[in-house]
Amino acid sequence: MTTTIALAGNPNSGKTTMFNDLTGSSQHVGNWPGVTVEKKEGRLKGRKDVVIQDLPGIYSLSPYSPEEVITRNYLITEQPSAIINIVDASNIERNLYLTTQLTELGIPVVLALNMIDIVHKRGDVIDTDKLSKAMGCAVVETSAVKGLGSKNAAEKALWLSDLHAHGGHSRDHVHAGANHVGHEHHLHHEPPFEPKHRFSAVVEDAIKLIGALIEDAAAAAATATGAPTRWFAIKLFERDSEVQRHLKLDEQQQAQVEAIIKTAEQQLDDDSESIITNERYSFVTDVIAQTLTVKDSSGVSLSDRIDRVVTNRVLALPIFALIMFVVYFLSISTVGTAMSGWVNDVLFGETVPGAMEEFLLSVGAADWLQSLILDGIVAGVGAVIGFLPQMLTLFLLLAILEDCGYMARIAFIMDRIFKRFGLSGKSFIPILIGTGCGVPGILASRTIENESNRRLTVMTTTFIPCSAKLPIIALIVGALFPGQAWVATSTYFIGMAAIIISGIILKKTRWFAGDPTPFVIELPAYHLPRVKGVARTMFERGWAFVKRAGTIILLATIVVWFLSSFNWTLQMVDTDESMLAAIGSAIAFIFSPLGWGDWRATVASITGLIAKENVVGTFGVLYGFAEVAEDGAEYWPMLAAAFTQISAFSFLLFNLLCAPCFAAIGAISREMGSARWTAFAVAYECVFAYLVAFSFYQIALLLTTGAFTVATALALLVVLATLYLLVRKPYLSHEPKRKQLKKAPAST
Amino acid sequence: MKSLKDVRTGETAAVVKLHGEGSVKRRIMDMGITKGAQVLVRKVAPLGDPVEVCVRGYELSIRKADAEMIEVQ
């Protein structure tokens, strides 16, 4: 039988380091079902039968943020054998607030006082015995960075879970009346995992009444979950919407519970949720007063001094620009791209295909097999591996920025600009990186703190022209807009506008308005990045990309290879006689309203899904050139004859904004962690691109020729609809708990 | 009513009450801005919003619109 130990704690408490320390290399990384939140589990070193489940970093167990709901649901329904609660001992007060909520769940808790070395260095002292008694859980001192105490914490957790399983003590009772801190010594015979904090007499009475009222419902829920009645009662007192749904109380019971809450609220003159939060914090303040001895520290810490410079009103923006330049320069302009270029052009452009071809010829492989391996599989694998160096460089830099604490400051500095578009200040990085390559850009959205902002960023990052779209731009400019630099420049503005418009429109829809997680974020103390942790994050993210995105890229590449290499009787042919050409001709009418119903343009757009620069090469093949230059200069005259300036710009618009290449779609799927969200993102991009190109073409036609048709009317309608979507009122969730803040009463 | 938004940079204020309701209020309280907590306003972001405050021994960033809901003295 396996035992599961869950790791819970605040963000920045050293949880990841502890997890790595406990599990070594036996890790499984994925997403929690349906959300963009990362899920990690592993086996305890030397104990194959013990699973360590890492939970998202959280500050509380409120029902509002996806991270907190995931953690709650996991702890309540999965009932791990024990929880190791990692607490940043150098910032103990806020960290213990979560502890008061974890100990209520009826699961043994080991409190790991992490970063204890910093506390010692400061000269502070924490009385762990007193802390253990006051909080009702075991306490272990650890320093995960130095590899100290983690093992001890795990052993303690296993011991407690054993005790819990065989102890037979009841964890299912509601304590009567006021049982304040400091009166717990008569309870010391109980196992050390009974929550010791008690609320004020009024609240305890209310919880007791609710507990009695819901006993049956809670008992039913408890057999399924194991959480104690007291926990359910506290949550009902807080009017916790998740628990209200979970318990399925009848209307009469609901009314009774509400009456009990109202009485307590009147007596204490505050709302119940605030009462509980306030009392938890005052309990924590008391515990700190008893257990923590602070050596006088009047000096300004190094972290404060760094922050004074880095987020200084004058220097903050130049420093930010400089850091962004370095990130872009290293990952996109130089190191990353040089290596990616080598992998793409040399390794997967010459070396591997060359060797493969020689081998295939020597064994006399059939033509189709050679083509499958060289043009399908090798090209597909190359597309995956080719991105890796660029991405690893970027991941390394991002991991350093995150680890040292600067990433939170980026949100602080940029929030003012991005909040208007429903994005996070941290969305700046994905978009910036997206100008080089959308794949690492999308993956960089992982650092955004809010789920809905993260999804929005993932969906819109590829609107910015990436480096692979530059050949398409060069092609159109060269063929139809010779010498006109504004066309290339305009694509960046169009990309930015597409992001902003999408942000505003989507943020007002039901799907993105769901959880208005507020911008209240911790700015962690600066520290030197840790080599081990940073390297690990880098490789983990790289590997996750290869695994999740890689399969999609490979499959899609092979499918397009198949369609473009065979005709309907499955004979190998050139692209212009292939199934793809037939499909392209059949669906070309869809693009007629955009001004380019030519089948070549359609087929080129489809092959652009493999890699955007393929658009140029495919046009070449379809115009009868086996090899063309990067900007397709050979067939510019033919293109100039087939397109007008307006239809060419419309073609450019569509190809810039529509579904990105398969690699980027793979990255979207990796980040979304859900097929439905991936499909939604790709569909949104395609529809958006289509409407933009359509409106542009039709309105430009109206302005240049004055011809007004049904299509013109439709185009104007699209523009009007967009304007409406931009200015309409945002969707408001009907759950009262999720309302936005009301304005405070005017000053008196 | 004096709100946290009115507290000048470098000054400390004690929280009296939080107005509003729902997830924003809960989040602010979860982060330790509760009745009686001492809040030091450290600085304003370069673009004028949000502000950085120090509460319960750590640094927190909060938007001015939300700081307006926090009654202090």
Side-chain angles (χ1 to χ4, degrees):
Chain A
M1 207 192 86
T2 56
T3 310
T4 305
I5 300 176
L7 294 190
N10 285 184
N12 310 307
S13 60
K15 205 161 55 65
T16 309
T17 318
M18 171 86 82
F19 178 73
N20 291 339
D21 208 24
L22 288 174
T23 59
S25 54
S26 69
Q27 299 186 2
H28 177 79
V29 186
N31 273 25
W32 291 89
V35 287
T36 58
V37 181
E38 195 165 79
K39 179 180 187 176
K40 285 204 248 180
E41 57 184 47
R43 303 273 168 165
L44 181 61
K45 267 187 212 162
R47 288 287 301 268
K48 286 261 175 294
D49 57 330
V50 179
V51 174
I52 306 285
Q53 176 69 60
D54 192 28
L55 297 170
I58 49 166
Y59 297 104
S60 173
L61 292 178
S62 87
Y64 301 118
S65 84
E67 285 83 358
E68 293 178 13
V69 173
I70 287 168
T71 306
R72 283 162 56 127
N73 290 347
Y74 174 81
L75 291 174
I76 299 164
T77 57
E78 302 294 319
Q79 286 282 310
S81 308
I83 301 171
I84 296 181
N85 172 208
I86 293 112
V87 160
D88 175 359
S90 66
N91 180 11
I92 190 167
E93 197 168 343
R94 194 204 60 227
N95 277 258
L96 285 184
Y97 171 72
L98 177 67
T99 313
T100 66
Q101 302 183 55
L102 293 174
T103 51
E104 281 167 357
L105 292 165
I107 304 165
V109 174
V110 175
L111 197 160
L113 277 179
N114 200 24
M115 311 194 195
I116 196 73
D117 48 319
I118 299 177
V119 178
H120 290 160
K121 214 171 174 181
R122 279 189 200 157
D124 299 352
V125 180
I126 299 174
D127 186 333
T128 51
D129 281 345
K130 259 193 194 163
L131 185 64
S132 165
K133 287 207 179 82
M135 299 300 295
C137 58
V139 175
V140 176
E141 292 188 347
T142 63
S143 171
V145 178
K146 304 197 165 157
L148 298 174
S150 305
K151 209 172 159 216
N152 193 6
E155 275 164 11
K156 202 77 161 216
L158 287 173
W159 177 74
L160 279 185
S161 85
D162 223 38
L163 202 68
H164 184 208
H166 303 109
H169 85 289
S170 161
R171 52 187 156 84
D172 195 11
H173 54 259
V174 177
H175 284 271
N179 195 354
H180 283 289
V181 195
H183 297 272
E184 80 284 75
H185 47 262
H186 63 283
L187 295 170
H188 72 273
H189 60 278
E190 285 188 14
F193 48 87
E194 193 69 23
K196 292 295 190 291
H197 61 276
R198 290 291 172 264
F199 301 104
S200 63
V202 175
V203 178
E204 284 296 335
D205 283 347
I207 291 172
K208 194 181 154 201
L209 285 172
I210 296 174
L213 196 65
I214 60 162
E215 199 135 26
D216 294 342
T223 41
T225 64
T229 308
R230 181 182 167 83
W231 186 79
F232 286 113
I234 295 172
K235 288 290 149 188
L236 278 184
F237 183 75
E238 288 180 313
R239 294 200 183 86
D240 186 297
S241 52
E242 295 273 328
V243 166
Q244 282 171 347
R245 265 202 301 276
H246 187 86
L247 284 181
K248 299 187 189 79
L249 297 178
D250 62 42
E251 255 172 58
Q252 196 200 345
Q253 283 173 316
Q254 282 177 20
Q256 283 171 313
V257 169
E258 187 56 35
I260 296 168
I261 302 172
K262 279 265 161 61
T263 314
E265 284 182 333
Q266 268 162 15
Q267 279 176 295
L268 296 172
D269 186 32
D270 210 343
D271 66 284
S272 62
E273 206 175 9
S274 305
I275 295 171
I276 294 281
T277 312
N278 275 328
E279 292 194 5
R280 281 189 201 282
Y281 261 113
S282 45
F283 168 77
V284 169
T285 313
D286 284 351
V287 172
I288 298 285
Q290 292 171 40
T291 55
L292 175 71
T293 323
V294 180
K295 202 180 159 195
D296 177 52
S297 58
S298 43
V300 182
S301 74
L302 179 64
S303 176
D304 288 342
R305 264 179 280 167
I306 295 173
D307 207 47
R308 270 186 204 167
V309 177
V310 172
T311 58
N312 177 292
R313 276 206 100 142
V314 183
L315 292 175
L317 290 173
I319 291 176
F320 174 69
L322 181 73
I323 291 177
M324 286 302 105
F325 172 76
V326 170
V327 168
Y328 187 88
F329 184 75
L330 288 180
S331 59
I332 302 295
S333 299
T334 54
V335 183
T337 300
M339 286 194 287
S340 273
W342 180 81
V343 171
N344 276 332
D345 300 339
V346 182
L347 193 62
F348 280 90
E350 292 160 16
T351 318
V352 174
M356 271 289 186
E357 197 170 358
E358 216 167 280
F359 168 76
L360 290 168
L361 283 174
S362 71
V363 297
D367 272 359
W368 67 269
L369 187 63
Q370 278 189 40
S371 177
L372 168 67
I373 291 173
L374 293 176
D375 304 331
I377 297 173
V378 173
V381 171
V384 180
I385 308 289
F387 286 111
L388 260 188
Q390 217 178 45
M391 245 160 7
L392 288 179
T393 318
L394 176 74
F395 291 161
L396 176 71
L397 297 170
L398 290 185
I400 291 173
L401 289 183
E402 265 177 275
D403 202 41
C404 76
Y406 187 72
M407 198 60 106
R409 269 79 186 182
I410 294 182
F412 178 71
I413 296 170
M414 300 303 287
D415 176 64
R416 180 77 194 264
I417 299 175
F418 280 84
K419 70 175 178 190
R420 293 176 199 201
F421 318 131
L423 296 172
S424 154
K426 290 185 196 165
S427 304
F428 183 85
I429 296 176
I431 294 169
L432 176 81
I433 298 300
T435 60
C437 175
V439 175
I442 289 163
L443 297 177
S445 66
R446 175 118 302 194
T447 59
I448 294 169
E449 61 281 351
N450 166 304
E451 156 115 302
S452 133
N453 288 348
R454 204 153 47 216
R455 282 203 173 119
L456 210 50
T457 309
V458 167
M459 284 180 66
T460 53
T461 295
T462 53
F463 283 151
I464 282 286
C466 68
S467 57
K469 288 175 185 166
L470 295 183
I472 309 181
I473 300 172
L475 170 73
I476 297 296
V477 171
L480 287 133
F481 301 91
Q484 296 182 46
W486 65 269
V487 177
T489 318
S490 74
T491 58
Y492 287 90
F493 285 101
I494 290 163
M496 271 318 290
I499 292 174
I500 291 170
I501 291 171
S502 300
I504 296 174
I505 288 180
L506 289 171
K507 200 71 184 178
K508 289 183 178 179
T509 62
R510 196 156 47 90
W511 312 297
F512 289 91
D515 60 282
T517 310
F519 183 84
V520 182
I521 59 162
E522 181 187 0
L523 300 172
Y526 290 94
H527 60 72
L528 278 176
R530 290 161 292 231
V531 178
K532 225 168 123 186
V534 164
R536 189 161 197 138
T537 311
M538 172 179 92
F539 283 114
E540 242 171 49
R541 288 180 182 168
W543 175 237
F545 167 74
V546 170
K547 223 169 62 177
R548 288 283 289 280
T551 38
I552 292 189
I553 299 170
L554 188 59
L555 271 177
T557 311
I558 291 174
V559 168
V560 174
W561 162 81
F562 176 72
L563 291 176
S564 62
S565 310
F566 290 88
N567 65 12
W568 299 105
T569 54
L570 297 185
Q571 277 163 325
M572 264 193 96
V573 290
D574 284 339
T575 309
D576 55 346
E577 291 166 17
S578 67
M579 284 185 261
L580 193 64
I583 295 171
S585 311
I587 63 168
F589 73 92
I590 296 175
F591 299 105
S592 298
L594 312 191
W596 41 280
D598 185 83
W599 67 276
R600 294 186 188 88
T602 309
V603 173
S605 299
I606 296 173
T607 57
L609 290 172
I610 293 183
K612 286 290 163 181
E613 66 267 28
N614 279 8
V615 170
V616 178
T618 305
F619 259 127
V621 171
L622 300 180
Y623 278 120
F625 295 95
E627 290 270 321
V628 291
E630 197 175 62
D631 57 2
E634 292 86 344
Y635 58 86
W636 283 358
M638 297 170 184
L639 213 58
F643 281 90
T644 65
Q645 282 197 333
I646 296 174
S647 67
F649 198 75
S650 154
F651 176 78
L652 186 60
L653 280 175
F654 183 80
N655 272 285
L656 290 180
L657 300 175
C658 76
C661 63
F662 289 130
I665 295 175
I668 291 176
S669 142
R670 156 86 191 95
E671 282 314 303
M672 290 289 195
S674 131
R676 270 176 59 194
W677 273 101
T678 310
F680 177 68
V682 172
Y684 174 80
E685 288 161 347
C686 289
V687 171
F688 186 85
Y690 188 89
L691 291 178
V692 168
F694 172 70
S695 314
F696 166 79
Y697 179 71
Q698 294 298 341
I699 291 171
L701 217 55
L702 173 72
L703 294 178
T704 49
T705 67
F708 195 92
T709 63
V710 179
T712 325
L714 281 175
L716 291 172
L717 217 61
V718 169
V719 174
L720 281 178
T722 310
L723 287 177
Y724 165 73
L725 288 174
L726 281 174
V727 299
R728 75 176 177 142
K729 276 204 196 119
Y731 175 89
L732 282 180
S733 177
H734 292 299
E735 273 177 75
K737 283 279 184 181
R738 296 193 172 182
K739 263 188 222 156
Q740 291 288 344
L741 275 177
K742 279 186 190 149
K743 282 275 173 210
S747 59
T748 46
Chain B
M1 183 195 99
K2 189 183 178 191
S3 81
L4 187 62
K5 196 186 162 206
D6 308 322
V7 178
R8 265 179 294 176
T9 309
E11 284 179 3
T12 304
V15 177
V16 177
K17 190 179 170 69
L18 274 89
H19 295 275
E21 59 181 20
S23 64
V24 183
K25 180 180 181 184
R26 171 68 184 264
R27 172 81 169 181
I28 292 171
M29 295 187 79
D30 279 344
M31 297 305 279
I33 301 189
T34 57
K35 209 177 277 181
Q38 296 285 319
V39 183
L40 162 68
V41 177
R42 274 240 195 244
K43 68 164 86 75
V44 179
L47 297 172
D49 198 20
V51 291
E52 179 181 335
V53 301
C54 180
V55 62
R56 298 188 190 271
Y58 79 101
E59 316 296 318
L60 185 71
S61 163
I62 178 171
R63 282 186 186 146
K64 279 183 172 169
D66 296 334
E68 212 176 347
M69 310 297 154
I70 302 166
E71 189 177 333
V72 296
Q73 63 177 15

